[in-house]
Amino acid sequence: MAIFIEAITTLLTLAGLAYLLLALWGTRDFAHYWRRKSVDAGFAPDVTILKPVKGVDQRMYAGLVSHCRQQYAGRFEIVFGVSSRNDPAVSEIERLQVEFPECAIRLVECRERLGTSGKVSNLVQMLREARYEYVVINDSDIRVSPHYLTRVMQCFSDAKVGMVTAPYIGRTAEGGRGLTVWSRLEALGISTDFLPGVLTARRLEGGIHFGLGSTLATSKSVLAKAGGLESLTEYLADDYEMGARISAAGYRVELSNEVVETTVPEYHFGGFKDHQLRWARSTRDSRKLGYLGLGITYAVPWAVMTCVASGLALWSFSLLSVVLLARVAVALSVGVGVLGDEQVLRDLWLLPLRDFFGLGFWMWSFAGDTVVWRGELFALRDGRIRPVHPVGSQ
């Protein structure tokens, strides 16, 4: 039995090492693609930014301001959507309108509830108010550079592109109580775990066929051909579904080289656990076959288990050393090289802990079908969510 366990963990470690090498290949391919790619710098169609908002967090306003400071050749407007005029975010939007009178900013009250997902329900109603053919959807806490719209919209100069999405980093607090170990693990996972998986999938599948919620840029006509937003009101991973449907409609989904920021909350373990399980189970339902293979990507935990199973044999420590070297190489090439996330250097020592938690949540994700989202418990079936009962807020 001991020999059998040792053989299994060794095979899983080698498979994980192979994945890390594929991730480095995918990263190199992505960087090379954008070095040689030419875009029409003068292509700047008019665009509507759709931002559904609910409540206020500490860094939301800075993200909103970054959208108003776009250096964009075309016209753009920002349409905010709230479920109620009593939402605390309304005062922040009114403040934004006063601070940036030259920017076209509108607020839409979305009174209808069209499905389980309040966010998508609001987006359906906001889309009706959009003046322009092209739309960019992103979350309220997303922070962007002044060239964000220029770089995203230039991709549409290729008529085959139906959606543009963007990589992102998770920005933690600079210090103090907000910089918890759980927040650091969350941000580290985005830059060194999640995006390497995206770049690997992009290389192996000949492109990406899904969207990332950090940016979902498309046009009304393409969205209509893909089934519209109305068909997504019951889905948890609406960003993934939107990209998958646009890809299935015959359009290309482009991963931009424009990196944006999202805010990582002041997580304690409960909030970290809820978010990780929600991500894991939504991915499990969206990419069933790919998700089964995700378990082998955690090479460091498998290598440590191989050391234990082999009775601390010298060869197993050699294998662990190679795996650690490959894991650090992926973290630095993607997290620092592609994303420019300096937090990776700060938290590099947490990589093994991050990978053990990642493997644990992957296993845990198969033990149930419930997710916590915005303080509510939902049952998840084939990507669709159904409310169960309210739980304590994250």
Side-chain angles (χ1 to χ4, degrees):
M1 178 61 72
I3 295 175
F4 176 74
I5 294 174
E6 179 185 337
I8 292 297
T9 58
T10 301
L11 287 173
L12 289 170
T13 302
L14 292 173
L17 180 59
Y19 163 76
L20 292 173
L21 296 177
L22 283 173
L24 288 171
W25 183 32
T27 303
R28 180 182 179 277
D29 180 73
F30 178 71
H32 183 63
Y33 172 78
W34 277 106
R35 278 198 300 268
R36 70 175 190 269
K37 182 177 176 60
S38 61
V39 294
D40 183 355
F43 189 79
D46 299 338
V47 59
T48 297
I49 302 173
L50 300 177
K51 293 188 78 70
V53 293
K54 182 179 181 180
V56 177
D57 63 56
Q58 187 176 2
R59 282 180 259 177
M60 184 180 85
Y61 193 72
L64 303 185
V65 166
S66 71
H67 287 75
C68 296
R69 291 177 172 164
Q70 291 300 296
Q71 297 173 13
Y72 187 59
R75 293 179 297 179
F76 73 95
E77 63 170 354
I78 308 175
V79 175
F80 294 94
V82 293
S83 298
S84 167
R85 287 274 178 177
N86 295 322
D87 194 295
V90 171
S91 60
E92 296 294 275
I93 296 165
E94 291 172 343
R95 173 187 168 193
L96 200 70
Q97 289 172 321
V98 171
E99 188 174 341
F100 295 93
E102 73 285 358
C103 192
I105 301 171
R106 289 187 289 141
L107 176 64
V108 175
E109 183 179 10
C110 307
R111 298 180 179 180
E112 300 175 76
R113 186 60 182 254
L114 304 176
T116 309
S117 173
K119 170 190 168 184
V120 180
S121 174
N122 286 2
L123 281 170
V124 171
Q125 297 165 75
M126 294 161 64
L127 185 63
R128 299 169 186 165
E129 304 295 325
R131 290 177 180 150
Y132 304 126
E133 168 66 8
Y134 284 95
V135 294
V136 173
I137 301 168
N138 61 29
D139 293 332
S140 60
D141 66 339
I142 294 295
R143 189 169 183 172
V144 300
S145 79
H147 308 290
Y148 169 70
L149 279 182
T150 298
R151 291 170 181 162
V152 168
M153 299 310 295
Q154 281 176 353
C155 296
F156 289 109
S157 60
D158 183 344
K160 296 179 181 178
V161 173
M163 171 179 277
V164 179
T165 192
Y168 63 98
I169 66 172
R171 181 64 63 186
T172 65
E174 296 297 326
R177 292 171 52 189
L179 188 61
T180 68
V181 66
W182 310 112
S183 297
R184 292 165 78 169
L185 289 174
E186 172 91 4
L188 189 64
I190 293 171
S191 293
T192 69
D193 188 5
F194 174 71
L195 190 65
V198 171
L199 295 181
T200 303
R202 177 184 175 276
R203 186 66 186 88
L204 293 178
E205 298 173 8
I208 65 170
H209 306 282
F210 49 85
L212 308 179
S214 56
T215 293
L216 299 168
T218 186
S219 66
K220 292 178 182 178
S221 57
V222 167
L223 197 54
K225 292 176 183 177
L229 289 173
E230 291 85 353
S231 63
L232 303 176
T233 55
E234 304 295 333
Y235 282 87
L236 176 62
D238 54 272
D239 51 353
Y240 177 92
E241 287 292 332
M242 191 187 303
R245 295 180 184 204
I246 288 175
S247 177
Y251 294 94
R252 197 167 81 239
V253 178
E254 186 79 276
L255 181 63
S256 171
N257 62 343
E258 173 73 2
V259 179
V260 304
E261 292 184 9
T262 186
T263 299
V264 177
E266 180 186 333
Y267 277 130
H268 296 288
F269 178 72
F272 173 70
K273 180 260 296 180
D274 288 343
H275 188 262
Q276 290 295 304
L277 279 178
R278 183 170 76 241
W279 177 86
R281 287 174 176 163
S282 66
T283 306
R284 180 199 68 191
D285 273 27
S286 299
R287 291 174 60 87
K288 292 180 173 62
L289 291 178
Y291 188 75
L292 283 174
L294 182 65
I296 68 169
T297 67
Y298 299 105
V300 173
W302 293 123
V304 171
M305 284 185 261
T306 298
C307 288
V308 175
S310 68
L312 307 182
L314 181 60
W315 67 265
S316 67
F317 280 97
S318 299
L319 181 59
L320 175 60
S321 299
V322 173
V323 166
L324 284 171
L325 180 63
R327 182 68 176 100
V328 170
V330 169
L332 294 178
S333 62
V334 179
V336 180
V338 173
L339 297 175
D341 184 3
E342 73 283 355
Q343 298 172 134
V344 171
L345 297 174
R346 179 195 69 190
D347 297 329
L348 197 62
W349 64 280
L350 289 171
L351 270 179
L353 183 61
R354 166 65 214 180
D355 287 352
F356 270 99
F357 270 110
L359 180 59
F361 284 123
W362 176 78
M363 293 177 176
W364 195 352
S365 69
F366 293 103
D369 293 300
T370 58
V371 295
V372 177
W373 189 29
R374 291 188 177 274
E376 289 186 85
L377 187 66
F378 292 89
L380 182 65
R381 296 288 187 280
D382 295 324
R384 293 179 171 85
I385 49 176
R386 174 178 53 82
V388 179
H389 58 75
V391 298
S393 174
Q394 294 184 49

